[in-house]
Amino acid sequence: MKAFTVLKGLVAPLDRANVDTDMIIPKQFLKSIKRSGFGPNLFDELRYLDEGQPGQDCSTRPLNPDFVLNKERYQGASVLLARQNFGCGSSREHAPWALDDFGFRCVIAPSFADIFYNNCFKNGILPITLSEAVVDELFNEIEAQEGYELKVDLEQEKVIKPDGTELSFSIDEFRRHCLLNGFDDIGLTLQDADAIKAFEERHRESQPWLFDAIH
Amino acid sequence: MAGKTLYDKLWDNHLVRQRDDGSALIYIDRQLLHEVTSPQAFEGLRLAGRKPWRIDANLATPDHNVPTTVNERKTGIEGIADPISKIQVKTLDENCNAFDIVQFDMMDTRQGIVHVVGPEQGATLPGMTVVCGDSHTSTHGAFGALAHGIGTSEVEHVLATQCLVAKKMKNMLVRVDGELGIGVTSKDVVLAIIGKIGTAGGTGFAIEFGGDVFRAMSMEGRMTVCNMAIEAGARAGMVAVDQTTIDYVKGRPFAPKDALWDKAVEAWSDLHSDADAVFDEVVVLQGEDIKPQVTWGTSPEMVLPVDATVPSPTDAEGYERALEYMGLTAGMPITDIPVDRVFIGSCTNSRIEDLREAAAVVKGRKVSESVKEALVVPGSGLVKEQAEAEGLDKVFEEAGLQWREPGCSMCLAMNADKLGAGEHCASTSNRNFEGRQGFGGRTHLVSPAMAAAAAVAGHFVDVRQFMGQEG
Ligand code: SF4
């Protein structure tokens, strides 16, 4: 997994609550058996005026001029500012894959849906929860100032605004540790293989029916 | 010390290791796999040169992409018209063969939507931890199991380690007291709950559904409710084990037998919250207050009783956009919303009781001429067989509904079954997000009985008007 330490990047504001994973990456693109290549279809239904099909060349499709990611001033953004309950709905990991493929490494919102939040960490994307009031303020500042960049420091758990103001956030110790080091979760868990085996034995002993094989 | 909730017990029973940083390793008893969220997990295993930890804990079946017409199904995978869907279904097939994982493939009568298949086979048992790369895995919580959806990286993690890195959630009790009125179903109950607590109301919680209404509810009804826990933001929903649970599980192919069965039943008797257990949050509804529900907007929380009127764009944030997308005007009665298509199916409502409920409404009636298409898609090959044995397929066909092959179908429109732009659909599925059932499509979530009634009327209608009258 890619490590995340410090990121300085342009922020794009997506002013909409309850953005679900169907919206982040519509289902027709879930047919891929790969992890990459979802970027051109990120927010497909909002971003283009026509209906997207998998495998199509997106460079010739009609763009929705009103959609924020299509605006000149947000090209190259790597931080997404969003509203509450971001990433609700389906568990598809294609959502963080698409955000990542597009170039986002960090999403800031007042709240996230659980599964999406979890999936972000598995893909080197940092989801940051800030209060509703702070997020509101950020929306206003971004609107007012073209080229608005934020610095995100995971080690320090701080977001630093262009004027130097620091906003603190907090991330679970284990997740922070994995993300900072780019650790492979599976490798870490397998370090506990003996504990897993011991548990499995006891579990099998007390509830043998749980081990009736699927056959 | 206060007693434990059902969730506390399930958590403690599966805790392999609590880490200092608050995270934990949880043992997973069962993983269900389907074609959409597993290919990258198998690929990851291969790239890292890893093997599954316990092959026989896994069960796979293709569901999201499979075609539902008899013609396209006849020749198996090769017959799938959409080349990209075909690759995905084929990839599942190849991965299951390569890793020796049991799969109910497209031609197997046991194939179906994972969340219908698991319980039907007894692959989901009380007291288990169940995961699947699909958010509606919460369905299996109906068995007093800890079941929730996971992402593809976690699918790979569970394959490789039989464990999940997790953090304990908070406890919420949703209690529905009293009794449900005639014509009010489990689907209406869960929609009313979501209407009350909102789509983020359960975020961070495991919800236990308790109270008289759930005690009286069938297992299939409980599955419908737990299925939509995720629509209230909760990854896991659950119902305590009782005699209804045990009767349902008994005799299923993967359920324990003989002496082991007795031992299991004894162990399962503890799968309920202790009387003195403390919940972080309690929500109470009264069964008698719940009417048949219809969603009018683009989020499951945008739901109203069928006798209500469409709200005003200024009532709440997001309403204006939702009303515009749905093409509705404030103040119009819900019953004036026309219905272009009807979909009866999905992991929420495609079990035999759902089909019986819908068939009872359309029996002797005809689908309105204004309805372009009405589909009934059973949740599994076995549900289909059972329905046919009861003659339900004939009831549907005589009324003008189409009887299809099992799969997810129009629930998310990954196959050919989908809505056209602007079309209103009375759907028994679980998500009414923009575009979910097809680009520009307008989904209204309802119970099977309400969908059937809408098919006949050509617009939404209170199904209770149809009850007790012959068609
Ligand atoms: S029926 Fe719908 S919600 Fe259920 S698993 Fe299939 S696509 Fe997902």
Side-chain angles (χ1 to χ4, degrees):
Chain A
M1 192 182 72
K2 272 185 289 195
F4 187 113
T5 48
V6 178
L7 168 75
K8 188 156 189 277
L10 189 67
V11 191
L14 182 61
D15 193 0
R16 182 167 180 150
N18 298 313
V19 169
D20 57 74
T21 52
D22 277 73
M23 216 181 276
I24 299 174
I25 182 87
K27 71 242 153 197
Q28 63 268 38
F29 307 108
L30 309 190
K31 293 183 185 179
S32 164
I33 55 169
K34 302 206 195 75
R35 264 175 207 264
S36 55
F38 296 101
N41 300 110
L42 176 73
F43 297 119
D44 200 273
E45 289 183 8
L46 300 172
R47 206 159 134 201
Y48 303 98
L49 294 170
D50 61 346
E51 184 180 352
Q53 296 305 334
Q56 179 188 24
D57 174 13
C58 291
S59 63
T60 57
R61 293 174 59 195
L63 291 172
N64 173 2
D66 296 331
F67 183 56
V68 60
L69 295 187
N70 290 334
K71 302 217 159 121
E72 192 49 45
R73 60 183 284 196
Y74 298 119
Q75 296 313 304
S78 56
V79 179
L80 183 67
L81 182 70
R83 296 289 186 186
Q84 81 260 17
N85 201 24
F86 188 82
C88 60
S90 142
S91 62
R92 62 189 67 162
E93 201 158 316
H94 312 67
W97 293 339
L99 286 164
D100 178 51
D101 203 62
F102 183 87
F104 286 117
R105 295 295 316 279
C106 173
V107 186
I108 300 176
S111 61
F112 293 90
D114 289 341
I115 302 181
F116 173 81
Y117 184 78
N118 209 19
N119 282 340
C120 282
F121 289 96
K122 315 278 180 200
N123 294 283
I125 295 178
L126 176 63
I128 296 179
T129 312
L130 294 175
S131 76
E132 195 103 40
V134 170
V135 168
D136 258 346
E137 208 176 282
L138 287 173
F139 268 101
N140 291 335
E141 290 172 13
I142 291 165
E143 171 70 26
Q145 182 185 334
E146 200 152 323
Y148 191 97
E149 288 195 345
L150 285 173
K151 186 171 161 193
V152 178
D153 186 330
L154 177 58
E155 175 79 56
Q156 306 287 325
E157 300 188 300
K158 282 196 169 75
V159 175
I160 300 144
K161 298 215 260 186
D163 65 4
T165 323
E166 296 185 347
L167 307 167
S168 302
F169 61 92
S170 96
I171 302 286
D172 231 58
E173 193 40 49
F174 177 73
R175 286 174 165 147
R176 195 170 72 98
H177 180 66
C178 290
L179 201 51
L180 280 171
N181 296 292
F183 278 153
D184 160 26
D185 263 19
I186 298 180
L188 278 182
T189 299
L190 287 174
Q191 290 177 6
D192 280 326
D194 290 341
I196 302 172
K197 279 188 195 128
F199 175 89
E200 199 167 46
E201 293 274 292
R202 290 197 306 275
H203 201 49
R204 188 191 293 268
E205 185 90 348
S206 64
Q207 300 174 70
W209 56 87
L210 295 178
F211 291 79
D212 274 355
I214 291 288
H215 48 84
Chain B
M1 212 178 87
K4 289 180 177 183
T5 64
L6 171 59
Y7 171 60
D8 295 338
K9 292 180 186 181
L10 292 167
W11 174 270
D12 291 349
N13 281 339
H14 292 88
L15 186 62
V16 174
R17 209 188 133 199
Q18 179 71 52
R19 292 177 171 147
D20 301 336
D21 53 31
S23 72
L25 267 189
I26 290 293
Y27 190 81
I28 301 302
D29 296 313
R30 179 75 67 237
Q31 171 152 254
L32 302 165
L33 298 156
H34 64 82
E35 79 279 21
V36 180
T37 53
S38 68
Q40 296 88 350
F42 283 113
E43 182 199 48
L45 277 191
R46 266 196 204 97
L47 288 176
R50 291 179 173 129
K51 297 221 155 0
W53 181 280
R54 183 151 86 74
I55 291 165
D56 65 10
N58 297 284
L59 175 62
T61 190
D63 54 6
H64 285 62
N65 275 278
V66 298
T68 62
T69 55
V70 175
N71 250 341
E72 229 185 303
R73 278 292 268 271
K74 265 201 309 244
T75 48
I77 296 178
E78 288 314 316
I80 302 178
D82 178 338
I84 311 176
S85 290
K86 189 198 286 186
I87 291 176
Q88 215 167 40
V89 176
K90 211 172 179 162
T91 305
L92 179 69
D93 209 51
E94 289 164 0
N95 282 327
C96 288
N97 289 335
F99 288 94
D100 215 14
I101 287 170
V102 173
Q103 185 204 186
F104 297 162
D105 66 24
M106 238 174 81
M107 303 304 272
D108 193 315
T109 34
R110 297 170 298 175
Q111 176 271 340
I113 306 173
V114 277
H115 311 309
V116 175
V117 169
E120 184 173 79
Q121 292 295 320
T124 302
L125 293 174
M128 272 185 167
T129 40
V130 182
V131 295
C132 172
D134 187 285
S135 58
H136 292 101
T137 310
S138 56
T139 310
H140 309 261
F143 290 80
L146 174 56
H148 59 74
I150 55 177
T152 297
S153 296
E154 290 174 311
V155 171
E156 183 184 339
H157 191 280
V158 173
L159 279 169
T161 69
Q162 211 54 44
C163 287
L164 202 59
V165 178
K167 210 177 163 181
K168 200 168 172 201
M169 298 180 267
K170 287 180 287 180
N171 280 291
M172 182 189 286
L173 173 67
V174 174
R175 211 177 72 212
V176 185
D177 295 333
E179 250 179 86
L180 297 180
I182 292 176
V184 179
T185 68
S186 53
K187 180 66 163 285
D188 302 305
V189 172
V190 71
L191 285 172
I193 292 170
I194 296 166
K196 181 164 171 133
I197 70 174
T199 48
T203 304
F205 289 93
I207 299 182
E208 178 174 346
F209 298 99
D212 302 338
V213 162
F214 299 112
R215 291 274 67 88
M217 202 178 268
S218 71
M219 280 316 289
E220 298 195 356
R222 294 175 190 180
M223 283 188 249
T224 300
V225 172
C226 290
N227 174 276
M228 290 192 74
I230 184 68
E231 258 46 78
R235 287 179 83 174
M238 61 195 77
V239 176
V241 171
D242 60 9
Q243 196 57 41
T244 307
T245 323
I246 289 167
D247 292 344
Y248 182 95
V249 173
K250 191 165 188 178
R252 306 230 161 227
F254 296 123
K257 311 251 155 18
D258 309 321
L260 215 49
W261 169 257
D262 297 334
K263 214 177 147 198
V265 170
E266 200 191 314
W268 296 341
S269 68
D270 188 45
L271 294 174
H272 55 79
S273 292
D274 295 333
D276 57 345
V278 180
F279 288 87
D280 300 288
E281 208 157 319
V282 179
V283 177
V284 182
L285 282 83
Q286 192 62 35
E288 288 78 0
D289 295 345
I290 301 174
K291 297 178 184 170
Q293 307 277 310
V294 181
T295 66
W296 56 268
T298 52
S299 163
E301 70 188 15
M302 295 175 177
V303 64
L304 285 168
V306 60
D307 58 1
T309 53
V310 171
S312 151
T314 55
D315 283 356
E317 222 190 299
Y319 276 24
E320 191 175 349
R321 189 194 295 263
L323 288 172
E324 195 189 319
Y325 180 85
M326 295 299 288
L328 300 176
T329 34
M332 76 188 275
I334 296 273
T335 48
D336 279 359
I337 303 174
V339 169
D340 304 298
R341 287 180 201 264
V342 175
F343 171 60
I344 298 174
S346 89
C347 57
T348 315
N349 284 127
S350 63
R351 298 180 183 83
I352 191 68
E353 288 174 14
D354 301 315
L355 303 185
R356 286 180 191 140
E357 190 182 301
V361 174
V362 298
K363 188 169 181 154
R365 297 189 167 96
K366 287 270 180 253
V367 170
S368 162
E369 282 184 7
S370 63
V371 172
K372 293 181 199 155
E373 184 182 59
L375 299 185
V376 187
V377 187
S380 72
L382 291 172
V383 170
K384 178 168 184 264
E385 252 178 33
Q386 173 71 24
E388 287 173 356
E390 295 177 21
L392 304 185
D393 56 326
K394 294 283 162 315
V395 173
F396 288 125
E397 282 174 349
E398 271 158 29
L401 294 100
Q402 299 179 34
W403 180 243
R404 294 290 187 92
E405 298 293 306
C408 293
S409 179
M410 209 198 266
C411 174
L412 94 166
M414 270 185 84
N415 67 5
D417 311 334
K418 54 180 87 160
L419 300 183
E423 288 178 346
H424 290 272
C425 178
S427 177
T428 66
S429 56
N430 44 47
R431 288 192 174 133
N432 51 349
F433 299 154
E434 288 184 19
R436 169 85 178 178
Q437 292 190 290
F439 188 71
R442 295 162 170 167
T443 302
H444 301 270
L445 305 176
V446 286
S447 72
M450 283 287 287
V456 172
H459 54 82
F460 289 100
V461 61
D462 190 336
V463 65
R464 293 175 296 183
Q465 292 170 15
F466 281 52
M467 304 216 150
Q469 303 167 14
E470 288 302 307

